[in-house]
Each structure stands twice: as C-alpha cells, then as structure tokens.
Amino acid sequence: MRILVSNDDGIFAPGIKALAESLAREHEVYVVAPDRERSATGHALTLHKPLRAEEVTLFEGVAGSWQVNGTPSDCVKLAFGALLDTAPQLVVSGINRGPNLGTDVIYSGTVSAALEGAILGAPAVAFSLASFDDLHYATAAHFALEVAEKVREQHMPSRTLLNINVPSLAPEGLQGVRVTKLGIRKYNDVFEPRVDMRGKTYYWLAGEPDEQEEHPDTDVMAVRSGQISITPIHIDLTLYPLLDEVERWGWTVQDKVVETTRKG
Ligand code: MN
C-alpha cells in the first residue's frame, strides 16, 4: 500500500522514525512532517507565509521524505496537493509521545494530521503512545503493520479515522485490544504566573490530567488497564438528536433585524 506518514512531534522525533521504518518493511511509505515540534497546534493551517518542503534522508526503506515549515495539517495537505505524484491509500500519523485520549483529540496535532487525510479522502489512523517516559515505540510501530493490514482488508467509511492509543509496554505486557469511545479527559489547568525582567507578569499553562472514574468502555479506561485503545472518529460534528429541538425554539431573525435597525 502507498502510505503517507506524518506527525506533530516533528520529523526528528523517535516516534515517527519507528512508525515509518516499521511500515516501510511491507509498504511504499512517504514521510512529510513538520521541521520542528508542533504538538497541540490542532488543525491550524499556514496562510500568511510560504510553505517550504526540504527533502531529507532520515528514514531507512522509505520511498521519499520531506520536512516542512508548517503544521501537521499543512504537511498532509502539501503531500496530497504538491509533493506526491499519486494520492496515498492510507495516512498514518504518529507515533505521538504522550496519549491523545478523550477531549485531547480536539487539540492534538497528531489527530489533526490524520483528520486532514480523512478530509482529503484517504482512510487515516492516528497513533499515540500513552506515556511521556519509558517509551516503548516498537510495540506501537509493530501494531501499525496489523492496523495497515486491517484497513486494507476492511472497508473504512469515507471521512473517518481510527484514533489509537497504545500503552507504553513491551508487547508481552499488553492486555489486548479494545474498541472504545472517547472518554472525558479533564485537566486541572493551572496558569503559573511569573514576572519578567521588566516587572511584567506572564503565564505558563501547566496542569495535570484529572484522573477520575470513567465509563469502562472509554479510551481512558482501556489504556489505564494496559489495553490498546481503538476509537473510530468521524468529521461530522453535527449533533443529530438536537436538530429538531433547536428547530422548535423558533427563529425570527427578520423581526429582530428590523427592530435593531430602528433603534440605531
Ligand atoms: Mn505531539
């Protein structure tokens, strides 16, 4: 399969190397990734400066690789729109250093790179390692081959992706695979105020995830019990059960416009 690999930790991160080289053992792999860390940049696009792509030789066995001075979404868009001759059949993002669970997916550059692939019409997968230290990238990289195989065999509906979180364990320590829903990952966000050399206050966003009890079917709980978590995600954010109710609220924009105009 022709696979595009990207990430948000940057092209020099160990996670993308493990992922690209593992997939390249069986597939035609192209890497297009940010030239520096762009974690938590969400789905941002670069509109006000040019994008530059520079070929690199950092990965064994891949068919091509570029570093880009943009965001994860920029990288995937540029790969589809300019760098690759033929569109990839699968987009894989990661392996992120740290989990992307529950509400993390909204902020995650890792998930956004995969999401961009899904928007552009390819099946897509985001991989995150659920730890910031003691990093077993090889476990997740090896599992990526199984995932690529499944995507090839099975039909993934259009505009969808799989968000996969792998516990940072040696393969023999894993407690299996679980298909999950997104949990709620709250953070006790703390802005730590400091004072600069001119006496002005500035802030660092710090804080820790609030590890509360969750429904057993969530990604948070799967990873907590040593299981690989797979959550299917789609792009359509419409809340269908609320369509009729919001309709019933009654909307009279015309009256209000007239009233406001008169007062003005
Ligand atoms: Mn990251």
Side-chain angles (χ1 to χ4, degrees):
M1 237 187 322
R2 197 166 45 256
I3 300 177
L4 171 65
V5 174
S6 192
N7 77 344
D8 77 352
D9 291 343
I11 198 148
F12 298 103
I16 195 169
K17 187 173 171 66
L19 181 61
E21 293 185 352
S22 174
L23 290 170
R25 291 210 301 269
E26 294 179 15
H27 300 279
E28 182 186 344
V29 171
Y30 298 87
V31 181
V32 182
D35 60 2
R36 69 201 73 175
E37 180 170 354
R38 304 301 297 262
S39 291
T41 51
H43 212 94
L45 290 179
T46 303
L47 299 181
H48 302 291
K49 62 175 188 180
L51 288 175
R52 295 186 190 277
E54 192 182 327
E55 270 200 271
V56 293
T57 51
L58 296 165
F59 308 100
E60 255 174 60
V62 304
S65 49
W66 294 263
Q67 62 174 34
V68 176
N69 63 335
T71 64
S73 312
D74 286 331
C75 290
V76 173
K77 257 183 147 28
L78 194 66
F80 273 76
L83 299 176
L84 305 191
D85 295 331
T86 321
Q89 295 156 296
L90 171 65
V91 174
V92 180
S93 176
I95 303 163
N96 189 57
R97 176 171 176 262
N100 279 307
L101 299 163
T103 32
D104 292 343
V105 302
I106 300 293
Y107 306 97
S108 166
T110 306
V111 175
S112 282
L115 205 54
E116 188 59 43
I119 289 171
L120 295 172
V125 183
F127 274 99
S128 304
L129 197 65
S131 176
F132 288 99
D133 35 47
D134 198 16
L135 299 162
H136 291 270
Y137 285 115
T139 307
H142 185 72
F143 185 64
L145 282 170
E146 185 180 333
V147 173
E149 217 44 57
K150 287 278 190 276
V151 171
R152 196 209 314 249
E153 291 165 12
Q154 308 290 337
H155 173 72
M156 249 174 94
S158 64
R159 299 167 77 77
T160 57
L161 65 110
L162 299 177
N163 185 44
I164 302 185
N165 282 272
V166 181
S168 192
L169 300 165
E172 58 272 21
L174 287 175
Q175 302 299 308
V177 179
R178 185 165 194 155
V179 178
T180 58
K181 61 179 185 180
L182 292 177
I184 295 168
R185 195 155 151 89
K186 278 193 185 160
Y187 286 82
N188 299 313
D189 280 348
V190 177
F191 282 100
E192 196 179 309
R194 297 194 185 171
V195 178
D196 73 14
M197 54 189 279
R198 295 180 184 85
K200 294 204 167 184
T201 304
Y202 65 99
Y203 302 90
W204 278 108
L205 175 56
E208 292 286 324
D210 181 2
E211 299 289 355
Q212 52 194 350
E213 275 311 302
E214 288 253 0
H215 193 278
D217 293 340
T218 61
D219 52 358
V220 176
M221 291 306 282
V223 164
R224 212 180 283 175
S225 49
Q227 295 168 310
I228 293 177
S229 163
I230 303 181
T231 309
I233 291 180
H234 64 155
I235 295 166
D236 186 353
L237 294 174
T238 312
L239 184 54
Y240 289 93
L242 221 58
L243 282 177
D244 286 345
E245 188 182 331
V246 175
E247 187 72 51
R248 277 197 301 273
W249 292 357
W251 299 96
T252 53
V253 65
Q254 205 55 45
D255 302 351
K256 298 284 179 203
V257 170
V258 173
E259 204 174 294
T260 315
T261 312
R262 274 195 210 119
K263 270 182 201 158

CSV table of all heavy atoms in Angstrom, one decimal, residues 8-9 37 39-40 96-97 110, ligand 1:
chain,number,residue,atom,x,y,z
A,8,ASP,N,3.1,15.3,14.8
A,8,ASP,CA,3.2,16.7,15.3
A,8,ASP,C,4.4,16.9,16.2
A,8,ASP,O,4.7,18.0,16.6
A,8,ASP,CB,1.9,17.1,16.0
A,8,ASP,CG,1.7,16.5,17.4
A,8,ASP,OD1,2.5,15.6,17.8
A,8,ASP,OD2,0.8,16.9,18.0
A,9,ASP,N,5.2,15.8,16.5
A,9,ASP,CA,6.4,15.9,17.3
A,9,ASP,C,7.6,16.4,16.5
A,9,ASP,O,8.6,16.6,17.0
A,9,ASP,CB,6.7,14.6,18.0
A,9,ASP,CG,5.6,14.3,19.0
A,9,ASP,OD1,4.9,15.1,19.5
A,9,ASP,OD2,5.6,13.1,19.4
A,37,GLU,N,8.9,20.5,16.5
A,37,GLU,CA,7.7,20.1,17.2
A,37,GLU,C,6.5,21.0,17.1
A,37,GLU,O,6.7,22.2,17.3
A,37,GLU,CB,8.0,19.9,18.7
A,37,GLU,CG,6.7,19.4,19.4
A,37,GLU,CD,6.9,18.9,20.8
A,37,GLU,OE1,8.0,18.8,21.3
A,37,GLU,OE2,5.8,18.6,21.4
A,39,SER,N,3.3,20.1,18.6
A,39,SER,CA,2.3,19.5,19.4
A,39,SER,C,1.2,20.5,19.8
A,39,SER,O,1.5,21.7,20.0
A,39,SER,CB,2.9,18.8,20.6
A,39,SER,OG,3.6,17.7,20.3
A,40,ALA,N,0.0,20.1,20.0
A,40,ALA,CA,-1.2,20.9,20.4
A,40,ALA,C,-1.4,22.1,19.5
A,40,ALA,O,-1.9,23.1,20.0
A,40,ALA,CB,-1.0,21.3,21.9
A,96,ASN,N,2.8,9.5,18.4
A,96,ASN,CA,2.9,10.7,19.3
A,96,ASN,C,3.6,10.3,20.6
A,96,ASN,O,3.2,9.2,21.2
A,96,ASN,CB,1.6,11.3,19.6
A,96,ASN,CG,1.8,12.6,20.3
A,96,ASN,OD1,2.5,13.5,19.8
A,96,ASN,ND2,1.1,12.8,21.5
A,97,ARG,N,4.4,11.2,21.2
A,97,ARG,CA,4.9,11.0,22.5
A,97,ARG,C,3.9,11.5,23.5
A,97,ARG,O,3.7,12.7,23.6
A,97,ARG,CB,6.2,11.7,22.7
A,97,ARG,CG,6.8,11.7,24.1
A,97,ARG,CD,8.2,12.3,24.1
A,97,ARG,NE,8.7,12.3,25.5
A,97,ARG,CZ,8.7,13.4,26.2
A,97,ARG,NH1,8.2,14.5,25.7
A,97,ARG,NH2,9.1,13.4,27.5
A,110,THR,N,-1.4,15.5,16.2
A,110,THR,CA,-1.3,14.1,15.7
A,110,THR,C,-2.6,13.7,15.1
A,110,THR,O,-2.7,13.2,14.0
A,110,THR,CB,-1.0,13.1,16.9
A,110,THR,OG1,0.2,13.6,17.5
A,110,THR,CG2,-0.8,11.7,16.4
B,1,MN,MN,2.9,15.6,19.9
